[in-house]
Amino acid sequence: PFIAPCPTSELKPSEVSRFWFRKGLSDTKKNPQLSFQRFWKRLRWSLGAGEPSDTRTFEFYKSRYFILGYTFWGFGVVSCMGMIGFALSLGNRKFLVFNYSILFFVIGMSLTISLGRYRLPLLIPFSVLAASGSLKVFDLIKGKRFLPLVGLGVFSIILIYVLIYREVLPGKVSFFSDYYNQGNKYYQHGMYDLAVVEYEKALNIQPGDHPGVQRLYGDLSGLYLFMGQPDRAEKLLQKAVMLYPSDSGLQEKYYRLRIEQSNALK
């Protein structure tokens, strides 16, 4: 196969889960500081303004639908206002179960994985807390309780800095996954011409520093060969070895193809 499949496992799902759970505990015990740093980063991913995604990215849609570029009401704004409402409702028993549910959900997500679609359940409770917090702030202003307002202002500045201003997602915005996933759909249905178009877009249209870019050069060259286009494969591999000179796998594919092409001309 040109797009390498995920490795299969003979273990049962429960055994795989148990293995990685024990592996995680072992790594945490060996380096608790690194584990805490990773947890803190995922926590900021879970609540921050960035849109981590494993499918279509929000930036990709913004590039296609210009109206989205004029909106400011992203997840980061809702999250910050919701966190302010969360802080203001801590002493209210009516919000006890509500707040604990949010707390456990965020911590659980931050311990495992943080992607945009997994954060959707937070939008409604954060919106409720944002509305409740806004009313509470209005009451503080109306009652001229300036000391709590100052503390709340400092807390808000910290939230804005940590969740919105200070970018936590690594690297540049990448459209690689958007085009690559679409190419995979075409490939799985045998629509190789359309798959090639999407894979080429994945390599050439804002790929960023996505780790899958390097591998796709080799996979796409194999697809070119399968389609009877060795010249395109050789040209692609030549570009790949220039971009990734330390990748021995790409170099081997390139020089092997050159030898085969030379032998075919004799």
Side-chain angles (χ1 to χ4, degrees):
F2 307 111
I3 307 301
C6 296
T8 57
S9 172
E10 296 180 356
L11 297 176
K12 297 178 181 179
S14 59
E15 293 173 332
V16 174
S17 178
R18 190 180 305 114
F19 169 81
W20 286 113
F21 180 77
R22 292 174 177 173
K23 175 65 174 174
L25 286 179
S26 175
D27 291 347
T28 300
K29 291 179 181 179
K30 290 179 181 178
N31 197 334
Q33 181 178 358
L34 179 60
S35 299
F36 177 77
Q37 290 174 350
R38 289 172 175 172
F39 170 77
W40 173 243
K41 180 173 288 188
R42 286 196 297 269
L43 180 64
R44 292 175 59 208
W45 284 354
S46 300
L47 298 173
E51 294 291 345
S53 173
D54 59 347
T55 52
R56 294 289 191 185
T57 59
F58 181 66
E59 289 79 10
F60 178 81
Y61 284 113
K62 285 175 64 176
S63 69
R64 293 197 168 192
Y65 307 103
F66 72 92
I67 190 65
L68 295 177
Y70 294 98
T71 58
F72 70 93
W73 197 263
F75 186 88
V77 176
V78 178
S79 178
C80 283
M81 294 187 65
M83 290 296 293
I84 293 172
F86 179 88
L88 290 172
S89 64
L90 286 178
N92 191 336
R93 291 187 176 182
K94 294 181 180 179
F95 287 88
L96 186 63
V97 176
F98 196 70
N99 287 339
Y100 271 114
S101 300
I102 295 173
L103 185 63
F104 289 141
F105 183 86
V106 171
I107 292 176
M109 182 167 56
S110 302
L111 287 172
T112 53
I113 189 169
S114 300
L115 294 172
R117 56 196 173 98
Y118 296 122
R119 306 189 304 177
L120 290 178
L122 291 173
L123 284 176
I124 293 177
F126 272 167
S127 297
V128 173
L129 287 173
S132 173
S134 299
L135 293 175
K136 184 67 175 178
V137 170
F138 179 76
D139 290 339
L140 292 175
I141 295 174
K142 189 176 180 180
K144 297 181 179 181
R145 300 179 60 185
F146 298 113
L147 187 58
L149 284 172
V150 171
L152 188 61
V154 173
F155 179 66
S156 303
I157 292 173
I158 293 174
L159 281 178
I160 293 172
Y161 175 77
V162 173
L163 301 182
I164 298 179
Y165 178 76
R166 189 183 176 194
E167 184 63 49
V168 64
L169 293 176
K172 301 177 181 178
V173 173
S174 172
F175 293 166
F176 177 85
S177 295
D178 300 285
Y179 294 116
Y180 179 72
N181 290 335
Q182 185 62 46
N184 286 344
K185 291 181 180 179
Y186 288 136
Y187 177 84
Q188 291 165 3
H189 288 84
M191 306 167 71
Y192 300 125
D193 289 335
L194 294 176
V196 164
V197 172
E198 296 300 320
Y199 289 147
E200 289 176 343
K201 290 179 181 178
L203 293 176
N204 298 306
I205 302 179
Q206 204 166 328
D209 52 4
H210 194 283
V213 173
Q214 189 170 340
R215 170 185 160 188
L216 182 56
Y217 274 103
D219 292 338
L220 183 55
S221 67
L223 185 53
Y224 282 151
L225 291 174
F226 175 77
M227 297 172 65
Q229 302 173 357
D231 292 338
R232 293 181 73 181
E234 181 179 353
K235 186 177 180 181
L236 183 69
L237 287 173
Q238 183 180 21
K239 177 182 178 181
V241 296
M242 293 178 63
L243 292 173
Y244 308 101
S246 61
D247 191 320
S248 59
L250 288 174
Q251 290 184 3
E252 181 181 354
K253 288 183 179 181
Y254 174 60
Y255 290 117
R256 182 185 299 173
L257 180 58
R258 289 195 62 182
I259 293 173
E260 292 177 356
Q261 287 286 82
S262 299
N263 293 336
L265 294 175
K266 293 181 180 179

